[in-house]
Amino acid sequence: MKQALFLITLALLSALLTGGPSICQSGDITVQLPDPDIEGSLTLEECLTARRSCREFGDRAMTLQEVSQILWAAQGITADWGARTAPSAGGLFPIRLFLAVENVDGLDNGAWEYLPDSHSLRQSVEGDLLQDLATAAVSQDWMATGSAMLVISAIPEITEARYRDRSMRYIDAEVGAICQNVYLMCETLGLGTTAVGAMNDEDAADIVGTSNTVRLLMPLGPIVEE
Ligand SMILES: Cc1cc2nc3c(=O)[nH]c(=O)nc-3n(C[C@H](O)[C@H](O)[C@H](O)COP(=O)(O)O)c2cc1C
C-alpha cells in the first residue's frame, strides 16, 4: 500500500515538473472522423488555377469536417482492395500521416495519427506542438500560427522490401502526390497550406511521437479574407 502511494505521488510530481507535451499510451484516445463530402464547391481546374502557398492564417478554429476532408484527400481509401486517393509504388502504402492540432473543434491539442482503414484518428502525443514543429523547421515561426499541421512521414522498410535502393525516390514521389492533393483540398475549403521541407527530420518525428521518417510538413489554417 505504502509503495503504491509512493509511486502515485512520484507520477504526479513528475507530471507537474515536466509540464510539456507527453507521449500517450498507444490506443488511448481515438476519434472517428465524419465521412468526407465528395461533392466539392470548385472544379479541379479552378483549384489548380487558385492553388498558392499560404503563410498567414486567420484565427477561426478548423472543423472536424475540414480535418476529415484533408486527411481523406491525402490518404483516404477509395477502393475495396485498399487503393487510396494518392498513388503508391506497388500499392505498398508506406506513408503515415500525423496531424498536430492546436485549434480544431472536437480535437484535443496534441498529435494524432490518421488511420485510413477506419478513417479515424488516434492520439500519439498530448499538448501544444506547433511552435516546437516550427522551431524544428529551422524556426519558420509563421508555421505555428495555423490551426493544425500535417506531418507526412514514411516507414521506408515497407517499400525497401521490394524496391531496395529505389525506395526513397518512390516514397518522395508519393509524398509529392499527397502534398498536391492537400493543397487542392485546402483550396476548395478556403484553407491555406504550404509544403515545408526545411526541417530537422528527427526532431519533427520526436515531437509527434513516431520513429517514422518525416518527409514534409504542411501547416493548415483558414486563409485570411482580404
Ligand atoms: C518540396 C518543397 C519544399 C518546400 N519547403 C518550403 C519551406 O521550407 N518553407 C517555405 O516557406 N516554403 C517551402 N516550399 C513552398 C515553396 O516555396 C512554394 O511552393 C514556391 O515558392 C511556389 O509558390 P506557390 O506554391 O505559391 O506556387 C516548399 C515547396 C516544396 C515543393
Side-chain angles (χ1 to χ4, degrees), residues 28-49:
D28 267 359
I29 306 172
T30 57
V31 169
Q32 182 62 51
L33 292 169
D35 289 343
D37 176 2
I38 55 168
E39 288 181 12
S41 53
L42 299 177
T43 66
L44 177 59
E45 289 78 4
E46 286 169 329
C47 289
L48 286 166
T49 305

Side-chain angles (χ1 to χ4, degrees), residues 30-155:
T30 57
V31 169
Q32 182 62 51
L33 292 169
D35 289 343
D37 176 2
I38 55 168
E39 288 181 12
S41 53
L42 299 177
T43 66
L44 177 59
E45 289 78 4
E46 286 169 329
C47 289
L48 286 166
T49 305
R51 186 212 62 79
R52 205 86 289 147
S53 293
C54 167
R55 299 177 182 83
E56 197 185 346
F57 304 103
D59 291 333
R60 89 165 163 81
M62 279 171 59
T63 65
L64 211 52
Q65 186 66 46
E66 288 170 333
V67 166
S68 164
Q69 298 294 125
I70 286 167
L71 293 171
W72 175 81
Q75 278 292 271
I77 293 180
T78 48
D80 290 345
W81 65 271
R84 302 186 185 182
T85 48
S88 173
L92 295 174
F93 306 110
I95 304 298
R96 299 291 181 271
L97 301 177
F98 290 82
L99 189 73
V101 165
E102 245 178 68
N103 192 14
V104 176
D105 282 339
L107 282 180
D108 288 344
N109 290 6
W112 296 80
E113 182 172 6
Y114 177 56
L115 308 175
D117 286 339
S118 51
H119 192 54
S120 66
L121 291 167
R122 180 175 57 210
Q123 195 167 29
S124 59
V125 177
E126 294 171 357
D128 296 349
L129 307 174
L130 295 194
Q131 184 57 57
D132 289 350
L133 285 165
T135 303
V138 296
S139 295
Q140 299 186 68
D141 289 340
W142 60 268
M143 294 170 66
T145 64
S147 308
M149 201 183 305
L150 186 64
V151 178
I152 306 180
S153 77
I155 302 177

